[in-house]
């Protein structure tokens, strides 16, 4: 694995006529990230992984400060998984170029995480724009765990880049809570809360799949969730394709964001 500390160096060294797969991450690598890497290795000749904890994505300074960081362990894991190139870009390289047009979300997209974390997706899209301009991968691999992010990135890049977004399914702990770097901030004894939360949402998901009218149980589900001790930010049912509130039996997703021990978690079913 070759490590680059600048996108420009990566650009000089890598043969971009090859079919490149790109996996952007914020590090603290886990099996969820590795599943994206495996997909990339299956579909592409070379795989580039980036690790960059983007401060612009955090609307809370403490959240940024506490975000898990373990670069040495990440490097070992990525080498073991035969990643070709690791990119560790610097803040200045990604942000010094002022984009001629500042990235703004459309009003209709200011929902779910975009509503509760102002500036978050603008930060994500800024960095993705810089990466893709320079790397021009064939595919960018994204996890379903961050489904709204996938939706916004795939729409953003559609007419702008040759790159296509490839959605990879969420990797879960024993079929329950989604693996996430932030899980590492919890003590083992606290992980059962994530299990309880997931079980409640899964039950609601299956009842909705069976009968659309069970949407009326949203309020009851919120109440059950709050009883677990979490601080619920949102629980919403949205159309899986266009994110409107018009759903039918098969085309919905349930989105959740909550705080537990002051750590923010998201998931969707
Ligand atoms: P992050 O490092 O959390 O920014 O995530 C980097 C990429 O990995 C994003 O595309 C995430 O959606 C994806 N990802 C994170 N957790 C999981 C998971 N449990 N299963 C699948 N993909 C994931």
């Amino acid at each position: 694995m070759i490590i680059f500390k600048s996108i420009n160096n990566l650009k000089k060294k890598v043969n971009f006529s090859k079919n490149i797969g790109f996996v952007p991450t914020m590090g603290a690598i886990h099996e969820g990230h590795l599943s994206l890497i495996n997909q990339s290795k299956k579909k592409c000749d070379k795989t580039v992984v980036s690790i960059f904890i983007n401060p612009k994505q955090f609307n809370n300074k403490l959240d940024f400060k506490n975000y898990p960081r373990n670069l040495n362990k990440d490097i070992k894991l990525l080498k073991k998984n035969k990643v070709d190139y690791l990119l560790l870009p610097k803040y200045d390289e990604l942000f010094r170029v002022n984009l001629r047009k500042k990235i703004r979300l459309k009003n209709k997209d200011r929902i779910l995480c975009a509503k509760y974390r102002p500036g978050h997706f603008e930060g994500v899209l800024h960095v993705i724009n810089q990466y893709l301009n320079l790397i021009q991968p064939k595919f960018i691999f994204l996890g379903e765990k961050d489904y709204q992010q996938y939706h916004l990135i795939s729409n953003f890049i559609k007419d702008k880049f040759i790159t296509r977004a490839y959605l990879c399914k969420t990797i879960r702990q024993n079929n329950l809570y989604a693996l996430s770097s932030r899980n590492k901030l919890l003590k083992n004894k606290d992980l059962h809360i994530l299990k309880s939360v997931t079980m409640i949402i899964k039950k609601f998901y299956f009842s909705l799949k069976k009968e659309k009218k069970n949407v009326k149980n949203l309020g009851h589900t919120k109440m059950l969730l709050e009883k677990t001790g979490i601080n619920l930010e949102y629980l919403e049912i949205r159309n899986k394709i266009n994110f409107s509130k018009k759903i039918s039996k098969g085309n919905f997703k349930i989105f959740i964001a909550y705080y537990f021990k002051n750590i923010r978690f998201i998931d969707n079913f």
Side-chain angles (χ1 to χ4, degrees):
M1 183 172 81
I2 309 177
I3 301 177
F4 294 96
K5 294 200 171 156
S6 111
I7 312 179
N8 269 320
N9 281 349
L10 174 82
K11 199 180 167 192
K12 277 184 215 144
K13 293 274 162 57
V14 174
N15 176 357
F16 285 100
S17 59
K18 291 219 165 157
N19 159 7
I20 304 278
F22 178 49
V23 183
T25 81
M26 297 207 295
I29 300 295
H30 53 69
E31 289 293 329
H33 299 122
L34 295 179
S35 77
L36 270 52
I37 291 168
N38 286 337
Q39 279 294 344
S40 171
K41 291 184 71 71
K42 269 189 215 153
K43 280 187 79 75
C44 302
D45 301 329
K46 294 281 178 195
T47 293
V48 178
V49 174
S50 67
I51 298 182
F52 177 65
I53 307 183
N54 177 4
K56 300 270 186 213
Q57 274 174 236
F58 291 80
N59 50 333
N60 176 326
K61 279 199 179 125
L62 203 61
D63 188 24
F64 175 65
K65 185 170 159 262
N66 291 339
Y67 197 83
R69 292 161 167 88
N70 202 337
L71 189 57
N72 290 338
K73 201 168 156 208
D74 286 352
I75 291 176
K76 274 192 200 133
L77 212 52
L78 296 175
K79 275 188 184 160
K80 197 169 151 208
N81 282 271
K82 302 202 162 42
V83 165
D84 300 287
Y85 308 110
L86 170 62
L87 173 63
L88 304 171
K90 297 270 186 307
Y91 177 88
D92 283 353
E93 191 182 21
L94 288 165
F95 286 95
R96 94 187 138 210
V97 199
N98 281 330
L99 292 180
R100 258 179 300 148
K101 224 174 124 200
K102 204 167 179 322
I103 293 167
R104 279 182 60 85
L105 292 192
K106 296 189 182 112
N107 279 342
K108 73 168 179 49
D109 290 329
R110 295 180 189 280
I111 54 169
L112 305 171
C113 286
K115 176 174 163 191
Y116 289 93
R117 301 184 83 190
H120 167 74
F121 287 119
E122 287 85 345
V124 172
L125 293 176
H126 176 93
V127 167
I128 293 293
N129 188 56
Q130 303 289 77
Y131 282 149
L132 298 196
N133 261 326
L134 291 163
I135 305 174
Q136 298 179 11
K138 185 156 181 203
F139 289 105
I140 176 170
F141 293 86
L142 301 163
E144 190 164 3
K145 180 188 156 265
D146 301 273
Y147 190 70
Q148 188 181 14
Q149 170 173 274
Y150 161 77
H151 174 76
L152 292 173
I153 292 179
S154 48
N155 282 339
F156 176 73
I157 68 178
K158 208 165 49 199
D159 305 318
K160 227 171 156 312
F161 297 101
I162 51 157
T163 307
R164 287 296 156 257
Y166 190 95
L167 183 66
C168 303
K169 73 174 181 16
T170 303
I171 305 298
R172 298 181 176 278
Q173 184 75 36
N174 301 332
N175 240 344
L176 282 169
Y177 57 87
L179 298 185
S180 158
S181 303
R182 284 196 170 92
N183 295 0
K184 295 177 185 167
L185 298 172
L186 280 184
K187 297 203 175 85
N188 277 347
K189 72 172 177 56
D190 289 327
L191 287 168
H192 73 276
I193 296 287
L194 306 196
K195 280 189 204 162
S196 311
V197 167
T198 316
M199 269 148 70
I200 293 167
I201 305 172
K202 262 183 125 171
K203 201 167 163 204
F204 184 42
Y205 171 80
F206 286 114
S207 82
L208 257 180
K209 242 187 137 160
K210 220 158 120 197
E211 290 278 359
K212 194 186 136 192
K213 69 173 192 301
N214 285 333
V215 75
K216 66 178 186 303
N217 293 334
L218 183 69
H220 179 67
T221 308
K222 283 185 184 170
M223 190 197 74
L224 292 178
L225 286 167
E226 268 156 7
K227 274 192 178 165
T228 62
I230 63 164
N231 218 331
L232 187 63
E233 188 169 70
Y234 64 74
L235 179 75
E236 290 190 32
I237 309 160
R238 296 247 172 201
N239 183 299
K240 204 168 154 170
I241 311 294
N242 60 21
F243 280 66
S244 77
K245 288 200 169 171
K246 279 200 193 104
I247 63 155
S248 64
K249 227 170 154 181
N251 79 345
F252 68 90
K253 253 188 185 297
I254 303 174
F255 293 88
I256 184 170
Y258 61 96
Y259 285 85
F260 180 60
K261 304 249 163 193
N262 283 328
I263 305 161
R264 189 174 187 274
F265 296 95
I266 58 167
D267 203 349
N268 63 79
F269 275 89

